[in-house]
Amino acid sequence: MEEKQWIEDVAEKIRHKMILVACRNRHNIPYSTLNGRFDDCSGEKITWWTNGFWGGMMWQMYQATGNELYHEIAVENEKMLDANLMMAGGLNHDNGFKWLPTSVANYRKTGNEESCNRGMLAADNLAGRFNLAGAFIRAWNDAGDGKKAGWVIIDSMMNLPLLYWASETTHDPRYRQIAERHADKVQEYFIRPDGSACHIVEFDPETGAFMKSHGGQGYGEGSAWTRGQAWAVYGFVLSYLHTNRKSYLETAKHTADYFIENIPESGLIPVDFRQPGTCTWEDSSAAAIAACGFLQLAQVLKDKEALKYHREAVRLLKILDKKRCNWKEEEDNLLEKCTAKYHSDRHEFAIIYGDYYFIEAIWKLTGQELFIW
């Protein structure tokens, strides 16, 4: 099947299924599924880090179809997150994942000033997490004991666009400056010579000195957690887009090349590229995120380099479509066999961000994407 026809076929399958899924879940904020149906992370779980992706899916669907139902659901998701904005303990480095696909998307699409205000509140909080001694943005909160005050994670690269957006919106360089200093820190301490990425690096919060790396959600210290690798690829190319700093583009290519070189022959992405050979656990979300990063790289590069990353993205997406997509109308999720972390009692299940990035990647190919990052 020619690529153009395949893209349109997959896009049509998404359009057909998502209207059914949206109708069934219009008042929920999903994370995963139970017996094929989405759960709900609103209410007591409103601070969960993935709670912006459902709204993001709705904005992407609205952008592509113009169906007002998607607009209504996206706005409802955004307003539900107001409860999180009033919980200091529930605000962290993942502010970008929550308010870029919801409030910032709304502002970009409609010019809604209330949404702009929400985005700025989230950006101000994210900027306030910047450690002056170490020039990094602290990741998680803790119980007040300061044990994680120096922890930084690779996922943070995907949250920096909230700060870039804040600078562009207010014409205040402070947000961009913080984002660049943090990206520089990640570039120096997270990306290994072979292009693989650490998940967690710990710094002394008083002096900023490097202390150690942690395996985090991957197999172990020194391993290559695939979703973290995908965050690095996409995160660095986004930092390049917002700053035009060539070193970020080179780092994006370096991490992308490592990912590509380690894709198994099957094209199905493991949880960690360095997990034991006897382990068969997969993470389809890593494939979808990496595909988005590759396609973004292809958009900023030229000629053979661009074709290389475009080709690899399409390869991953075609395999997901054929082997890891759930097209059943009566079930809610798109992607199957996503894994949140290696050391867990649960593996290979539906996760909302897998579905979000799969849709975003396909919309990049159709030219219907709403740019969120």
Side-chain angles (χ1 to χ4, degrees):
M1 184 187 299
E2 292 187 3
E3 183 178 310
K4 186 176 180 180
Q5 185 60 54
W6 168 78
I7 293 168
E8 182 49 44
D9 287 350
V10 176
E12 180 55 34
K13 287 191 288 187
I14 291 172
R15 288 190 289 265
H16 178 75
K17 177 164 179 170
M18 282 308 301
I19 190 64
L20 303 174
V21 175
C23 287
R24 288 195 292 261
N25 296 276
R26 63 177 303 162
H27 301 301
N28 297 339
I29 302 182
Y31 169 66
S32 186
T33 57
L34 179 63
N35 298 323
R37 293 297 177 89
F38 277 140
D39 57 11
D40 183 14
C41 280
S42 61
E44 293 181 358
K45 299 179 181 178
I46 196 60
T47 63
W48 187 235
W49 75 273
T50 68
N51 279 357
F53 287 109
W54 175 243
M57 288 169 64
M58 297 300 99
W59 280 116
Q60 296 293 1
M61 295 306 302
Y62 179 61
Q63 173 78 357
T65 69
N67 189 319
E68 284 297 323
L69 173 66
Y70 296 124
H71 181 206
E72 292 168 9
I73 297 172
V75 170
E76 183 174 352
N77 187 161
E78 177 185 352
K79 290 180 178 178
M80 286 181 182
L81 286 175
D82 283 354
N84 191 177
L85 276 176
M86 296 303 294
M87 297 181 189
L91 297 169
N92 53 37
H93 76 283
D94 284 323
N95 286 1
F97 280 137
K98 296 176 191 175
W99 284 281
L100 280 166
T102 54
S103 297
V104 174
N106 191 351
Y107 179 65
R108 281 182 164 139
K109 182 69 176 174
T110 72
N112 185 290
E113 289 298 332
E114 291 182 0
S115 296
C116 182
N117 180 61
R118 292 183 178 105
M120 286 306 306
L121 288 171
D124 284 340
N125 179 273
L126 183 59
R129 302 183 69 80
F130 187 69
N131 181 293
L132 294 175
F136 62 79
I137 296 171
R138 173 181 176 167
W140 296 297
N141 303 318
D142 51 36
D145 54 16
K147 290 183 177 180
K148 293 184 177 179
W151 284 39
V152 180
I153 68 174
I154 193 66
D155 317 41
S156 61
M157 290 303 302
M158 287 299 298
N159 289 280
L160 296 185
L162 181 63
L163 298 179
Y164 295 130
W165 167 81
S167 263
E168 293 159 8
T169 301
T170 63
H171 305 288
D172 185 336
R174 292 176 302 161
Y175 300 99
R176 188 198 70 247
Q177 291 163 355
I178 288 171
E180 288 188 59
R181 292 291 297 278
H182 179 83
D184 292 345
K185 198 77 170 184
V186 173
Q187 192 174 48
E188 180 179 2
Y189 287 95
F190 281 71
I191 309 306
R192 306 182 185 108
D194 65 357
S196 64
C198 302
H199 180 206
I200 301 172
V201 173
E202 182 179 353
F203 301 96
D204 185 317
E206 291 290 346
T207 67
F210 169 83
M211 295 183 70
K212 64 176 296 187
S213 63
H214 298 266
Q217 289 169 238
Y219 173 65
E221 187 176 356
S223 68
W225 177 48
T226 55
R227 180 152 54 91
Q229 193 72 27
W231 293 143
V233 175
Y234 202 3
F236 273 104
V237 72
L238 289 170
S239 277
Y240 168 72
L241 278 176
H242 288 287
T243 67
N244 204 35
R245 288 182 54 179
K246 291 294 180 66
S247 69
Y248 296 157
L249 179 60
E250 291 305 313
T251 299
K253 289 162 55 178
H254 193 35
T255 54
D257 291 344
Y258 178 86
F259 196 107
I260 291 167
E261 290 163 5
N262 285 276
I263 296 174
E265 186 175 344
S266 67
L268 301 171
I269 304 303
V271 178
D272 195 303
F273 283 130
R274 295 173 182 168
Q275 67 192 36
T278 55
C279 179
T280 60
W281 293 330
E282 298 174 27
D283 183 7
S284 296
S285 75
I289 297 161
C292 285
F294 295 166
L295 290 172
Q296 201 70 63
L297 269 172
Q299 289 180 16
V300 301
L301 295 169
K302 297 179 180 179
D303 304 327
K304 290 183 179 179
E305 276 194 309
L307 288 173
K308 167 188 172 181
Y309 294 115
H310 179 94
R311 182 180 65 246
E312 292 296 337
V314 170
R315 174 191 173 196
L316 289 175
L317 293 168
K318 281 186 173 181
I319 290 170
L320 288 176
D321 169 40
K322 183 178 180 180
K323 297 183 178 181
R324 292 297 178 261
C325 276
N326 173 12
W327 297 115
K328 296 177 182 177
E329 294 181 3
E330 67 274 16
E331 297 185 7
D332 289 340
N333 61 295
L334 292 177
L335 288 195
E336 299 177 329
K337 294 202 172 186
C338 302
T339 295
K341 56 184 178 180
Y342 186 92
H343 295 287
S344 173
D345 57 3
R346 189 184 185 196
H347 297 89
E348 300 184 328
F349 56 99
I351 305 180
I352 196 67
Y353 49 75
D355 290 5
Y356 170 81
Y357 284 105
F358 183 77
I359 291 173
E360 183 184 284
I362 297 299
W363 272 202
K364 284 180 186 292
L365 293 170
T366 65
Q368 296 173 304
E369 175 198 14
L370 174 64
F371 183 74
I372 279 177
W373 311 103

